[in-house]
Amino acid sequence: MTATLAADRAVGARRVSVTRGYRFELVKLVSQWRIRLLVLACWIAPALFVAAVSQQSSLPVDTLFGRWMHATGWAGPLVTLGFAGTWALPLLTSVVVGDVFASEDRLGTWRHLLVAVRSPRRIFAAKALSSLTVILLLVVGLACSSAAGGLVAVGNHPLVGLDGHLLTPGDAAGKVLLAWVCVLAPTLALAAVGLLGSVALGRSPMGLLLPALVALAMQLAQMLPLPMAVRVALPGYAFIAWNGLFTSPAQLGPLLIGVVVSLVWAVTATALAYLLFLRRDFTNLTVDGSGRRVVTVGALPLAGVLAATVGVVAVATPTTGSGIEQDKVQRSVATAFAHLYRMQTTQLHRPDVTEAQLKATATCNKGGGKLAAEGPGNDWRCVVSWHLPDVEAAGSAIYQLDVTPDGRFVADGDGPKEVNGYFLVRTQTGDAPNPLWQFDGNVELLHTTKG
Amino acid sequence: MDAPLAIRARGITKCFGDVVALDDVDLDVAQGQIHGLVGPNGAGKTTLLGLLLGLAVADSGRLEILRTPITRALAAPDGVAGFVDGPGLYPSLTARQNLAALVALRDQDARTAGINDVLDQVGLTDVADDRASGFSLGMRQRLGLAAALLTKPRLLVLDEPSNGLDPAGKRHVHAVLTRLAADGTSVVFSSHRMDDLEALCSEVTILAAGRVVFTGPLTKLAAENRELYYRLRTSDPQAARRLAADTAGIHIDDDARARDAEVLVIRALVPALDDLVMRLVHAGIAVRELAAVVSPLEAAFLALTEQQEALR
C-alpha cells in the first residue's frame, strides 16, 4: 500500500499555459452569436455600404473624403474609417472587451475557471489577448471590406488629399493602410478601458458601456472649444489625427502625439485592470469585485494620466488656444486651392501650370473682419488670389469656410462662377464635378510641419 | 489496516471579514470513500469544499490533500476535480464543446480524452451536441460531473450534485460516484438530500455554524442519536395504543391521532421500540407498518444542528 501511495503521490498543481488559456478564451468568445454576427458584419457590411454609396448620385460630403467616392475606390475605406472612429470602434470594443470578465460573473464560472487554469495572472493574459484578437479581426474586416467594396465599385484611381494634392493609387493604398493602423492605438486604449470597466464594475452593465461612454465623452470634448493641448492629449484624438497623413507634407506631429497618448492610456488602463483583478477575492461569490473603492482606484490614475499628458503636450508644443490661426488657415486654403486648380486645368484641357507658377495666396478673416481671425467657426471668409503665366492680372475667388474645432474645414466656393461658383465644369467629354466648387481641408493645430 | 487518507484537515479556520465561515474544523476522508457534508445554509460547507478545490487557503490549520500540504490558493494537486456553486459551464457551447474546450485547456487530445465515454457515464450522449444554454439544472449538474471525470480524478469534490436531478439523472450520478469510489477515488459532496447521503455515503460530516458537530460513519450517527418518531399501523389500533402507553420508554404523539386514527405515531429509542413490537406480537396484534417518520440521518441532522444553533 505504501509503495502504491508513493507512486500515486500527487504532483504539485500544474498551471495551464497562457497559450492554451488564450485558445480556450478565443473558443468561448467566437462561440457567442453576437461576436459571430459582429465578425460577419465587419467583413461584409462595409463593402456593401461603400459599393452602394459609390453608386448613388449624392455623396456623403459631410464625411471626410465622402465627396471623392465617385472618383476612387480608396475614398470608401476612409469614409468608413471616419464613421468607425466615431461609432463603430467604440461600440465594438464595448461589446467584445466590456463583457470579457463580467460574463464570468454573470455565468458564475469564475471558480470553475480558476480550478481549471489555477492562475489569475494567466487568466487575465488569456482574456486580454483573446479579446484583442477579436477586435483586430473586426478592425481588419472593416478595413479590408470597405477597401474591397470601393475598389470593386469604383476602381483603383488616384485620391485627392486633404490639401488638394493627388495621391497615386499606390500612395493612396499605403496611406489608407497606415490610417487604419494608426486608429488601432485609440482602439487599444478603449479596449483597455473596457477591460478595466469589466474588472472593476463586475456584473454592472456600466462595465459593458464604459468604452462607448468614454469614446462619446472624448467626441464631445473634441466638439468643444477646448485648448489645443487638452484636445490632443485625449486618447481619442488619434481617431481624428490620421487626417494629417493625407496632406503633403504629412502632418505627423498631432498623429504621433495622439498615438503615443492612446498607447499610454492602453498600458495604464490594462495595468490597472490587471492589479484590480489580482486583488479580487474569488472565494466570496456575493462580491463581484465591484465597489466604490475599486472604481475610484481605477478612475483616479486615469485622471492623473490625462492631467499629465495635457501638461506634457502643453509644455512640449508652442501652440496655445485652439490652434486655429489666421495664417495657418490662409496657408491651408491657398495650398489646397493651388493643387485643385491644377486638377481643374487638366479637366478643362488648358495649358498645364504648376503650383509654384500659380503663387496662390489667401486672405482670410472671421466674422467679416469684426472678430479675431482665430478659432473654429463657420464665419471664415477667404479670398484666394493666383497668377497665371503670361497673364498680368491676378485671378481671385471667394470661399466661405466652416472650420471645426479639430482643424478640419469645408471651403465652399462663392464665385466667380467660372472658377468655383458652380458644382460642375464643362469638359470636352461632358460635365464633370468642379474640384474648386467645394473642397475639404485641414488646418494643422500644432506647429510641427513646414511647407 | 486503515485506508490512506485523501484529505486530512486539522484545525481549519477560515474567516471572511468578521464572519467565521469555518471554525477549527477537522476532517479525514479515506481513499475510495464517499463522504457527505451536510449542514444548514451558511454552515460552511461551500467554504470547506472551496478549500478542498484550492480556491482559497485556510487562515489557520493544516490541510493535506492527496498527501500534499496546501499552503496557498490554487495549489490543489493534480487529481483533484469538481465544482462548487454550480458546474461552471458556458451556455454558448454545446455539451461536447464544453468538454472539448476543457480538454484543450489541459493540452489533451480531444479524440483520446474520453469525452464520449464521460458523456455516456452521466447519460448525456443524446444531447451531446446541444447547447448548454438549453440544459436543465439537472443536465448542467451532470455535465459538470462529466467535466470533472475527464481529469480522471483521485479526489472529486462536488457541491450539491443532486440539485435538479430527475430519478434517471440521479441514478446515473449515483452509479458514477459508486463506481469511482470502488476504483479508489475519494468523493466529498455536500447535499441537503438525506436520501442521497444515506444511499451513497459511508461517512458524513455535519457542520453547523462553521463547526463540525458530527463526523463518522452513518451507523455511529444513528447509534448516537436520540429518540426517533415512528409510524405504527396495526390490526388493532386501540389495543396497540394501550400497550404502547404501558410500555416503558414509549411516548405517544397525540397530535397524529387527529390526522389518522388508524396510525399510531410514537417517539422511542430502539430498545423500547423492540420491546413494544414483542408485546404486540404476544398480544396477537399484527404489525402492518413500522417506519421512521424521518430518517435517522435527518433526525440526527436536525437535532445536532438545532442544538448548535441554540448554543450560538
Side-chain angles (χ1 to χ4, degrees), chain A residues 59-126:
Chain A
L59 293 172
V61 293
D62 289 342
T63 308
L64 212 54
F65 294 100
R67 67 182 72 251
W68 301 112
M69 286 184 77
H70 281 159
T72 174
W74 293 112
L78 295 175
V79 169
T80 307
L81 179 56
F83 177 76
T86 309
W87 296 110
L89 293 176
L91 288 175
L92 293 178
T93 51
S94 277
V95 172
V96 177
V97 187
D99 198 37
V100 72
F101 287 90
S103 63
E104 306 285 353
D105 283 310
R106 213 175 44 250
L107 298 173
T109 42
W110 273 127
R111 293 179 167 194
H112 161 78
L113 195 58
L114 283 163
V115 167
V117 179
R118 302 182 177 198
S119 165
R121 288 179 174 82
R122 294 179 188 196
I123 290 175
F124 185 91

Side-chain angles (χ1 to χ4, degrees), chain A residues 317-341:
Chain A
T317 58
T319 306
T320 56
S322 69
I324 298 169
E325 296 156 10
Q326 184 181 35
D327 61 328
K328 289 199 276 188
V329 174
Q330 291 177 165
R331 197 163 56 238
S332 293
V333 171
T335 303
F337 181 88
H339 287 308
L340 294 170
Y341 190 93

Side-chain angles (χ1 to χ4, degrees), chain B residues 249-261:
Chain B
I250 299 287
H251 308 279
I252 298 173
D253 180 3
D254 286 321
D255 293 343
R257 189 178 186 187
R259 294 192 291 273
D260 186 351

Side-chain angles (χ1 to χ4, degrees), chain B residues 245-289:
Chain B
D246 289 344
T247 306
I250 299 287
H251 308 279
I252 298 173
D253 180 3
D254 286 321
D255 293 343
R257 189 178 186 187
R259 294 192 291 273
D260 186 351
E262 297 294 309
V263 172
L264 187 61
V265 175
I266 56 175
R267 180 162 55 86
L269 288 169
V270 171
L273 186 68
D274 291 344
D275 189 22
L276 174 61
V277 170
M278 284 188 287
R279 294 183 68 178
L280 286 169
V281 172
H282 277 296
I285 300 170
V287 176
R288 292 174 175 166
E289 180 189 342

Side-chain angles (χ1 to χ4, degrees), chain B residues 35 87 96 120 131 153 173 268:
Chain B
H35 193 105
R96 194 187 303 281
D120 185 47
R131 285 182 190 279
V173 170

